[in-house]
Amino acid sequence: MKKFNVGIIGATGMVGQRFSLLLDKHPWFNVVCVAASSRSAGKKLKDAVGAKWAMTEPMPEAIGELTVMDATADIEKISSMVDFVFCAVNMPKDEIKALEEAYAKAECPVVSNNSAHRGTPDVPMVVPEINPEHIEIIEAQKKRLGTKRGFIAVKSNCSLQSYVPALHPLMEKFKVTKALACTYQAISGAGKTFETFPDILDNVIPFIGGEEEKSEQEPLKIWGRIEGDKIVNATTPAITTQCLRVPVSDGHTAAVFASFEKKPTKEEILEAWKNFSGVPQELELPSAPKQFLHYFEEDNRPQAKLDRNIEGGMAVSIGRLREDTQYDYKFVCLSHNTLRGAAGGAVLMAELLAAKGYFD
Ligand code: NAP
């Protein structure tokens, strides 16, 4: 695989910091530029981030030396330097939509962690093990944008990255009819650490703005299908969620209940999880976990602290599968929200796009 030059838009933020760690020494991607708001522009990345560095590993030296560019004012310049950009910025939704379209129209593909374009019908929202074929809609999007190589591809929300992969291998054979998920979400999902979010200590906050809508609606796009020039959402399963913020640094846990048209046995579910693998495993993409779904037999697993980093934080952990009195089954699952749920998931999607020739 040839090496691609990439930029990180939002490099000073929580997800941006993860990108710099994941892309340092990446076999296919080489970070040549970083960008953020005008507040950070002009400074070296290491100085712009300063005490906001929230990772346990140190900032990669070469990336830290890059001068931060202005994500908005420098679009043309950045687009001329890179093959594509990763984008994770904290801005009003309409501004993010415009920013990402401006990069695409400057012929710079955008692999995005932002929610702004998740509802755009010709923008693929991809979990590479689940709906890799949705990237084919990019041709229709390029036609609409009038671009040759510029496009936007997005990652779904971090809250659903555990239960959608767990339900997916059961969809076709057993038809999930309804699912309920209560999520217990880490503070890094709000771009926070315990230092910057002291109110979360000894606390649970029962509201995360917009999260329940995303957790209920985005799975239906992921399970949707391409029809003409758009992705048409699936209409089932019916999904209901409650999303809580809990005092955990990284790792979103979900307590899940599910019912089926054809109720599987417990063994059939475990077998489906064990045997599930997708295109990233088949193509041996650099960031793909070898085993996507890990099942724990122990009653007290998965635990965020112990299990979020399995397979570099790219796998999903599941446990406590048992029959339920109201739904057919219930179980608990966990995924690392800034790795599989954000930067890692975006890097894996970019690897899929690179392998399929979308950055050539
Ligand atoms: P964050 O830590 O608050 O970082 C925000 C980034 O956006 C910073 O680099 C900031 O630059 C930049 N920014 C803010 N205003 C800007 C402007 N006007 N122009 C250009 N850049 C600007 O946020 P985050 O947690 O990394 O999240 C970033 C995005 O990823 C959000 O859309 C979020 O919803 C999404 N996301 C986050 C997670 C997660 O687990 N954290 C998961 C999935 C998706 P300055 O430092 O210069 O202000």
Side-chain angles (χ1 to χ4, degrees):
M1 177 68 63
K2 87 170 231 217
K3 270 230 170 192
F4 296 93
N5 288 331
V6 307
I8 306 172
I9 313 299
T12 52
M14 183 70 85
V15 178
Q17 294 176 23
R18 272 277 172 221
F19 274 126
S20 61
L21 286 177
L22 291 173
L23 296 172
D24 182 42
K25 304 190 178 65
H26 189 281
W28 300 356
F29 306 145
N30 182 31
V31 179
V32 295
C33 95
V34 291
S37 76
S38 54
R39 296 178 290 275
S40 306
K43 299 177 190 162
K44 283 188 176 180
L45 181 65
K46 64 179 184 189
D47 299 326
V49 174
K52 286 187 296 180
W53 183 255
M55 306 290 115
T56 47
E57 297 151 76
M59 180 185 286
E61 226 169 280
I63 297 179
E65 288 297 324
L66 294 172
T67 300
V68 180
M69 298 173 77
D70 185 319
T72 314
D74 294 330
I75 292 174
E76 288 298 329
K77 190 162 176 215
I78 293 168
S79 301
S80 71
M81 293 167 70
V82 301
D83 293 301
F84 71 97
V85 292
F86 291 101
C87 188
V89 289
N90 206 344
M91 292 163 67
K93 198 169 169 172
D94 54 338
E95 289 179 29
I96 298 181
K97 266 189 157 175
L99 182 77
E100 294 185 338
E101 277 205 19
Y103 276 95
K105 286 186 172 159
E107 300 295 1
C108 176
V110 180
V111 176
S112 173
N113 275 88
N114 307 308
S115 62
H117 272 295
R118 289 186 196 149
T120 308
D122 60 10
V123 169
M125 177 162 65
V126 177
V127 180
E129 283 85 350
I130 297 179
N131 60 337
E133 72 285 357
H134 280 195
I135 61 176
E136 288 164 23
I137 198 68
I138 286 171
E139 288 314 316
Q141 187 198 136
K142 287 200 279 198
K143 219 180 214 171
R144 172 177 62 85
L145 294 172
T147 58
K148 285 198 178 69
R149 66 183 299 279
F151 63 85
I152 301 159
V154 299
K155 244 207 84 309
S156 56
N157 198 46
C158 47
S159 60
L160 57 85
Q161 294 287 334
S162 60
Y163 60 85
V164 168
L167 292 173
H168 183 70
L170 313 172
M171 294 286 283
E172 201 177 295
K173 195 162 170 199
F174 307 112
K175 299 251 179 335
V176 182
T177 52
K178 58 176 186 169
L180 181 159
C182 289
T183 64
Y184 304 85
Q185 302 193 194
I187 58 173
S188 57
K192 300 275 207 265
T193 61
F194 289 120
E195 286 70 40
T196 58
F197 195 2
D199 287 352
I200 197 67
L201 292 169
D202 190 26
N203 205 359
V204 169
I205 297 177
F207 177 69
I208 305 174
E211 202 75 350
E212 286 157 6
E213 293 78 357
K214 292 176 194 164
S215 305
E216 292 169 5
Q217 287 161 16
E218 290 183 14
L220 299 175
K221 181 166 183 183
I222 294 168
W223 283 319
R225 61 186 189 287
I226 293 179
E227 263 183 38
D229 58 2
K230 55 179 187 280
I231 293 164
V232 175
N233 288 7
T235 50
T236 56
I239 302 172
T240 183
T241 64
Q242 287 207 77
C243 300
L244 316 181
R245 188 71 72 194
V246 295
V248 166
S249 59
D250 290 310
H252 290 352
T253 300
V256 185
F257 299 74
S259 287
F260 301 86
E261 201 172 292
K262 181 175 172 283
K263 184 178 173 181
T265 63
K266 188 177 171 188
E267 290 65 38
E268 283 175 318
I269 296 177
L270 293 176
E271 200 60 19
W273 285 340
K274 192 169 136 205
N275 294 335
F276 181 65
S277 77
V279 170
Q281 287 71 32
E282 199 182 295
L283 296 177
E284 297 183 8
L285 299 178
S287 303
K290 299 245 168 328
Q291 176 72 32
F292 186 26
L293 306 175
H294 288 247
Y295 187 76
F296 285 92
E297 295 291 346
E298 298 90 329
D299 278 341
N300 62 356
R301 305 286 283 279
Q303 290 181 24
K305 199 167 176 175
L306 298 180
D307 304 317
R308 61 191 165 209
N309 287 323
I310 287 180
E311 300 227 32
M314 291 299 286
V316 170
S317 310
I318 315 175
R320 302 212 65 210
L321 174 66
R322 60 226 192 271
E323 290 202 42
D324 182 52
T325 54
Q326 310 298 313
Y327 284 69
D328 288 338
Y329 284 97
K330 55 188 166 189
F331 57 87
V332 173
C333 47
L334 164 78
S335 81
H336 195 303
N337 56 298
T338 64
L339 286 165
R340 170 56 79 159
V347 171
L348 185 63
M349 178 172 40
E351 291 167 1
L352 173 71
L353 290 162
K356 298 284 184 185
Y358 283 85
F359 299 139
D360 294 339

